[in-house]
Structures are given as structure tokens and as C-alpha cells.
Amino acid sequence: MQTAFTVRNGNVRGWDGGGVQATAAVTLAEKLLLSDNDNSIAAGLSVGNGSMVRDCVASGNHIGFYCGDRTHITNCIATLNHIGFSCTSYISIVDCTSSRNVAYGISAGGACTISRCTASRTSVGDGINAGAGSTVTDCTSTLNEYHGIVADQGSTISNCTSNSNLGRGIHVGDKCHVTGNTCNANYRGVSVSGNGSRVDSNSCTGNTLEGYYITGATNLIIRNSAHGNATNYSVAATNTSGPIVGSSGVITTTNPWTNFSY
């Protein structure tokens, strides 16, 4: 059985059992076009733990890219698959694009980093969904049929844009850090269902229901802004929040933790 190999500069199309299947191997895969390899189970490209995938395009497969632990994926495009990127844990996904996939655009397990990626127009699922202890940064998630960006316990979502999703722009559970993000025209903007998270310096505008929907406990909500949402802030009393100030004209408050509603 081959356990380490390189595959590059190819067009793999129309295989019933999936395209390049190398889940038992450490693989370098680059400059591949993987299309219409769909048996409702397999992927256009499957690689094992510790692999590198770069400069590849997957279209019309059941799963565009399936990647094992400790894989690094960069400059790849997944479109018109059932799932764009399906990854286990300890993965880095950088500068990738997922668009018009059916279910998840990017689905990653725990302790993953997803950076400078775009996820759009999933038909029935989230744009980006990351497991516990992950980091999602500098990403854009838009026009997905469910949530824009979802992360599990202990994750960080920062400097992302999540717009026009039919679910929540950003949704997290326990002990997460949500900072510096923009959520516009979603069903809800930033949502926290767990406990102990920090929601800091975000902007939520024009969301159908709440800009900030905080239903858990012991969360910290500071230095955010909200404008034009049906309800700008819905924060359960069991949380800690900076004062919510609504005003026009000159800002006179000096409290550094103020949340603005305008």
C-alpha cells in the first residue's frame, strides 16, 4: 500500500468511486481539477493525515475535498459539490473559496484554523462550521441558507464579515471570543447560546430580528454597535454587558465599555 506520494497537474473526472482517494497516505496534491466524481459518499480529493493540498479545484463531487488531521489546504476552490470542504481536526485552511455547495461550505473539526476564506450560497447548511478550539479569522460568509459562521466551545471568530445569511450571521457556544466582526442583513446578527463568551467590538446592522441575541449566562458584551435591527440588543439578565447607549449627535459617554444602539 502506498503511504506517501505526490499527485499534481491532472484532471480527474467522472469516477464513480470518487476522484483521488488517498486517505491512508501522506500526500502532496497540487494543481488538480476534480470534477463530477460522485457516488454519494466519496470525494473529489481525499488525503490522509499530515498532507498538503494547494491550488486545486473541485466541482460536482459529493465532497469536494476530504482532509485528515494536520493537513494544510491553501488556494483551493470548491463549488457545486454536496459539501465543499470536509475536514477532521488540526487543519489549516487558508485562502480558499467555497460557493454553491449543497450542505456545508467549509466543515472542520476541533483545533482548526480557517483564515482568509470565502463561503457563499450553500443550499441547506452553514457557510463555515468549525469545531471546538478553532480560529476563524478574516473570512467572508454570505448568502447561505443557514448560518454564516458557527464555532464550538473555546473558539475565536475575529475580523470576519457575515452578511445576508438566512440563519445567524455568527453563532457560538461556550467560552468563545467574538471580536471585530461585521454582521449585516442576516436573520440574527451575533448569537451566543452558551456561557462564558466575550462579544467585543462587533457591528450588527439591518438584521431581521436581533443584532445581538445572547441567551446564555456569564457572557461579556462590550464595545459593540448595532443599527437598524428589529431589536438591536437582546441580552439575558444573567450576562455582563457594558451600558447600551442610544443617541444622535455628539457622543458624550466616557464609559470605555459602552455598547451603541443607534
Side-chain angles (χ1 to χ4, degrees), residues 16-56:
D16 289 339
V20 177
Q21 303 296 301
T23 52
V26 177
T27 304
L28 169 60
E30 59 184 357
K31 294 181 170 58
L32 301 174
L33 176 58
L34 310 139
S35 60
D36 302 317
N37 303 291
D38 187 0
N39 69 347
S40 299
I41 298 175
L45 173 66
S46 297
V47 297
N49 296 346
S51 295
M52 176 172 284
V53 180
R54 60 195 183 201
D55 303 325
C56 295

Side-chain angles (χ1 to χ4, degrees), residues 14 62 88 91 175 181 214 217 224 246:
H62 182 70
T88 58
I91 303 289
K175 300 179 179 67
N181 303 288
I214 316 298
N224 300 286

Side-chain angles (χ1 to χ4, degrees), residues 69 87-93 106-115 128-139 149-160 170-179 181 197:
D69 288 5
C87 305
T88 58
S89 299
Y90 317 109
I91 303 289
S92 296
I93 308 174
I106 299 173
S107 176
C112 291
T113 297
I114 304 170
S115 177
I128 298 172
N129 189 296
S134 292
T135 296
V136 183
T137 184
D138 298 308
C139 291
I149 302 172
V150 176
D152 210 342
Q153 178 175 334
S155 294
T156 295
I157 302 175
S158 65
N159 301 320
C160 293
I170 293 173
H171 179 69
V172 297
D174 294 333
K175 300 179 179 67
C176 292
H177 191 184
V178 181
T179 180
N181 303 288
S197 291

Side-chain angles (χ1 to χ4, degrees), residues 18-259:
V20 177
Q21 303 296 301
T23 52
V26 177
T27 304
L28 169 60
E30 59 184 357
K31 294 181 170 58
L32 301 174
L33 176 58
L34 310 139
S35 60
D36 302 317
N37 303 291
D38 187 0
N39 69 347
S40 299
I41 298 175
L45 173 66
S46 297
V47 297
N49 296 346
S51 295
M52 176 172 284
V53 180
R54 60 195 183 201
D55 303 325
C56 295
V57 177
S59 177
N61 309 284
H62 182 70
I63 299 171
F65 298 93
Y66 176 84
C67 300
D69 288 5
R70 306 183 301 282
T71 294
H72 184 76
I73 312 158
T74 183
N75 293 322
C76 291
I77 298 171
T79 184
L80 300 174
N81 307 284
H82 184 74
I83 297 173
F85 296 84
S86 179
C87 305
T88 58
S89 299
Y90 317 109
I91 303 289
S92 296
I93 308 174
V94 182
D95 293 326
C96 290
T97 297
S98 171
S99 184
R100 294 189 179 277
N101 298 290
V102 175
Y104 295 110
I106 299 173
S107 176
C112 291
T113 297
I114 304 170
S115 177
R116 301 198 305 268
C117 292
T118 299
S120 65
R121 297 183 181 275
T122 57
S123 299
V124 296
D126 302 329
I128 298 172
N129 189 296
S134 292
T135 296
V136 183
T137 184
D138 298 308
C139 291
T140 299
S141 189
T142 184
L143 292 168
N144 298 290
E145 291 292 314
Y146 205 44
H147 304 321
I149 302 172
V150 176
D152 210 342
Q153 178 175 334
S155 294
T156 295
I157 302 175
S158 65
N159 301 320
C160 293
T161 299
S162 189
N163 290 349
S164 302
N165 300 288
L166 293 188
R168 304 171 189 201
I170 293 173
H171 179 69
V172 297
D174 294 333
K175 300 179 179 67
C176 292
H177 191 184
V178 181
T179 180
N181 303 288
T182 299
C183 293
N184 177 62
N186 305 285
Y187 186 64
R188 288 187 165 113
V190 172
S191 170
V192 181
S193 60
N195 305 322
S197 291
R198 177 174 179 143
V199 179
D200 187 350
S201 303
N202 302 282
S203 173
C204 288
T205 60
N207 295 285
T208 302
L209 293 183
E210 301 88 359
Y212 299 88
Y213 184 65
I214 316 298
T215 58
T218 65
N219 298 293
L220 178 65
I221 303 93
I222 56 174
R223 299 187 297 195
N224 300 286
S225 66
H227 172 69
N229 308 284
T231 300
N232 281 339
Y233 293 87
S234 177
V235 180
T238 48
N239 297 284
T240 299
S241 174
I244 298 173
V245 173
S247 63
S248 59
V250 177
I251 297 171
T252 58
T253 181
T254 59
N255 190 317
W257 313 119
T258 297
N259 297 291

